[in-house]
Amino acid sequence: MEISPLVWTVTLALIIGLLLFDFVFHVRKAHTPTIKEAALWSAFYVGVALLFGLGFFALGYPEMATEYYAGYVTEKALSVDNLFVFLVIMGSFNVPREYQQKVLLFGIVFALIARSGFIFIGAGLISLWSDVFYLFGIILLMTAGQLLKKELAGDSGGDEADNFIIRFARRHLNTTDDFHGDKLTTRIDGKRMFTPMLLVMLAIGGTDLLFAVDSIPAIYGLTQEPFIVFAATAFSLMGLRQLYFLIDGLLDRLIYLSYGLALILGFIGVKLMIHALHDNNLPFINNGEDVSVVEITTGLSLLVIVGVLIITVVASLLAPKGRALRAIQNAEKYSQRYVDLSEKAPEDREFSLIKTAEKSDYWSAKVANVPEKYQADLIEHRGNYVALLEKARGLRTGVK
């Protein structure tokens, strides 16, 4: 299928239109999305992505549709993993929740720009040097190994917010200690200064560059058509902001996601190496001749990717550690909500005080039954955590 300039133009217009719509109607006015809002818009963006893939079927190109869906699922999974890092970055800067939407949208736009650049660089390398697939395969295998090493070492990735861009900015830019709304700059004593919001966006942008190095070779392992690579990557990023608020709290419970992603990246890395052997030109491998190997089909790749993700998510949620983390997080959430609601007048409460008290009691009881090894591993700032639960419990005394 020859991708005409018109198809490229329409696709770009659709993506830019969705981004502008997202900014004008959701991000421009700072607020924290409700679960319902996040769920509806997440479903909308996933629906748009799925409908886009059906266009290949309608035009009679089922193989390209399969490549698109395999690339979309892979990039979406990698994007969800990226949300872990965004969560760490915004937590390290203490970004107010109502301003996180703007940071996320910036991250999405910057990721789209960065990955688009890598997409066309990758396409150029492929056209000039077919053996670049060996390099792509090595990159993915190394990335898979690093993910496994990080998980086995128990590295939480807390240094993600201290990349080289942030270190440069801290040394050379005058920044304030506090946020001033969602502004990037402010004026103090007549002097123009940058706010922490700028540093957060720089941190997100720096990590987006690193993510692009991993994600683009991964999707080129599933298709060599730049248009499909671009479309799958772009639509995987659409709705990531809403997904963040929808599964916030669930992210940490996906304790085996990194293992699943390591397996997927390793699988695609092997697929790339096999493809490179099939079109080999390196003189030190089989005297520069093609190596007769059975290639992995895109359909099989899609089944493997989806299967690994399903197993990873289900195993994470059913694992004792995952259930323990759910109890710990919910006890903290409902206790904090109860404390906050207690300080508001009845007409200003967005949740029922009695129902919140019941949920706080329920999850606090669950935490009491969590094995000590999990409590020690999963509860950060133990003293503050216990104090919050006790404060909520004290406030509930006498509540009927």
Side-chain angles (χ1 to χ4, degrees), residues 40-257:
L40 288 174
W41 285 108
S42 293
F44 169 77
Y45 283 109
V46 170
V48 170
L50 296 179
L51 287 174
F52 187 87
L54 292 179
F56 292 109
F57 283 113
L59 295 173
Y61 298 96
E63 180 62 28
M64 296 185 78
T66 304
E67 291 176 357
Y68 166 78
Y69 284 127
Y72 172 76
V73 172
T74 300
E75 291 297 306
K76 197 69 172 179
L78 290 171
S79 296
V80 171
D81 188 53
N82 296 351
L83 288 182
F84 280 104
V85 180
F86 291 171
L87 190 65
V88 170
I89 290 174
M90 287 192 283
S92 66
F93 283 98
N94 295 316
V95 181
R97 193 164 176 79
E98 62 269 24
Y99 304 141
Q100 291 180 4
Q101 287 201 94
K102 188 172 184 178
V103 176
L104 288 167
L105 184 60
F106 168 82
I108 291 168
V109 172
F110 192 90
L112 185 56
I113 294 171
R115 295 184 193 193
S116 295
F118 278 94
I119 286 169
F120 294 109
I121 291 173
L125 287 173
I126 290 171
S127 64
L128 292 174
W129 181 40
S130 61
D131 292 309
V132 73
F133 289 110
Y134 284 117
L135 178 61
F136 285 175
I138 291 171
I139 289 174
L140 292 186
L141 291 173
M142 290 178 62
T143 302
Q146 288 173 350
L147 278 174
L148 287 177
K149 180 181 178 182
K150 177 180 173 181
E151 286 301 306
L152 294 173
D155 183 3
S156 63
D159 293 333
E160 298 288 355
D162 190 31
N163 58 49
F164 69 97
I165 295 178
I166 286 298
R167 291 194 294 272
F168 177 86
R170 288 190 187 279
R171 281 197 299 266
H172 299 282
L173 298 178
N174 291 323
T175 59
T176 64
D177 293 328
D178 302 316
F179 287 88
H180 292 259
D182 59 357
K183 296 179 180 178
L184 300 181
T185 66
T186 189
R187 189 173 293 277
I188 298 178
D189 297 329
K191 184 178 181 181
R192 178 66 63 179
M193 300 186 71
F194 296 99
T195 71
M197 181 65 77
L198 177 66
L199 297 181
V200 175
M201 291 186 173
L202 289 175
I204 295 289
T207 53
D208 276 335
L209 288 174
L210 299 177
F211 292 149
V213 176
D214 299 333
S215 67
I216 298 309
I219 194 170
Y220 267 121
L222 301 168
T223 178
Q224 281 80 61
E225 172 54 58
F227 176 77
I228 297 178
V229 174
F230 174 79
T233 301
F235 283 112
S236 73
L237 293 170
M238 296 292 103
L240 197 61
R241 177 185 62 80
Q242 292 86 352
L243 187 64
Y244 173 88
F245 290 97
L246 180 62
I247 64 177
D248 185 18
L250 177 62
L251 281 174
D252 287 339
R253 288 177 231 156
L254 300 180
I255 56 177
Y256 298 132
L257 180 61

Side-chain angles (χ1 to χ4, degrees), residues 252 255-256 315-329 366-382 385:
D252 287 339
I255 56 177
Y256 298 132
S316 296
L317 297 179
L318 295 181
K321 185 176 181 180
R323 294 199 303 270
L325 186 57
R326 182 184 181 213
I328 289 168
Q329 289 179 333
K366 288 283 188 181
V367 171
N369 294 324
V370 169
E372 180 58 35
K373 65 175 182 178
Y374 291 136
Q375 292 195 34
D377 183 37
L378 299 174
I379 298 177
E380 297 182 3
H381 311 295
R382 184 70 172 267
Y385 181 88

Side-chain angles (χ1 to χ4, degrees), residues 283-302:
F284 53 85
I285 297 178
N286 199 35
N287 295 319
E289 300 294 328
D290 295 347
V291 180
S292 180
V293 288
V294 177
E295 290 208 66
I296 301 172
T297 65
T298 306
L300 177 60
S301 299
L302 179 58

Side-chain angles (χ1 to χ4, degrees), residues 3-13 120 225-228 230:
I3 308 299
S4 67
L6 177 62
V7 174
W8 271 102
T9 302
V10 171
T11 303
L12 285 171
F120 294 109
E225 172 54 58
F227 176 77
I228 297 178
F230 174 79

